Amino acid sequence: MTKHLQQARDDLEEAAKSADDDVRDDIRETTDAFADYVMGDTTPDHAMLDERLNTLRQVSQQAEGNTERKVESAIETIEDYREQVDQA
């Protein structure tokens, strides 16, 4: 399952490279969170993932081009991952 988190992080890193200033900070914050999930001992639960997904959906509405495509890809990957996470 870490593979999903790594893929989402990679997509978000690519999105940040082409993002406008108004959404770049949100993308980077979410990218950092996924880096922590991948490298740390913290496993995100549904609430944590929902918070990140909400942020990314808002970013997606404001983004264009490659940024939007990469954010959408990350959203899909996170949603796939979330389906495998047990609910508390």
Side-chain angles (χ1 to χ4, degrees), residues 2 6-8 11 13 15 19-21 25 29 34 37 39-40 43 46 51-52 54 56 60 62 65-66 73 84-85:
T2 302
Q6 181 64 49
Q7 181 60 49
D11 284 339
E13 284 181 345
D20 293 335
D21 292 340
D25 289 339
E29 180 182 319
F34 279 93
Y37 301 152
M39 295 178 208
T43 302
H46 276 259
E51 181 180 337
R52 299 299 175 193
N54 286 335
L56 292 176
S60 176
Q62 298 172 349
N66 187 58
S73 178
Q84 301 172 30
V85 174

Side-chain angles (χ1 to χ4, degrees), residues 1-15 27 30-31 34-35 37-38 49 53 56 70-71 73-79 81:
M1 289 197 323
T2 302
K3 180 177 85 173
H4 285 90
L5 298 176
Q6 181 64 49
Q7 181 60 49
R9 179 178 168 255
D10 292 347
D11 284 339
L12 293 172
E13 284 181 345
E14 287 298 314
I27 294 171
T30 306
T31 303
F34 279 93
Y37 301 152
V38 169
L49 292 171
L53 283 166
L56 292 176
K70 289 298 183 178
V71 169
S73 178
I75 289 170
E76 289 177 25
T77 302
I78 296 163
E79 287 173 340
Y81 174 83

Side-chain angles (χ1 to χ4, degrees), residues 44-51 82-88:
D45 60 18
H46 276 259
M48 295 165 85
L49 292 171
D50 286 344
E51 181 180 337
R82 186 178 176 278
E83 289 177 8
Q84 301 172 30
V85 174
D86 292 332
Q87 287 191 5

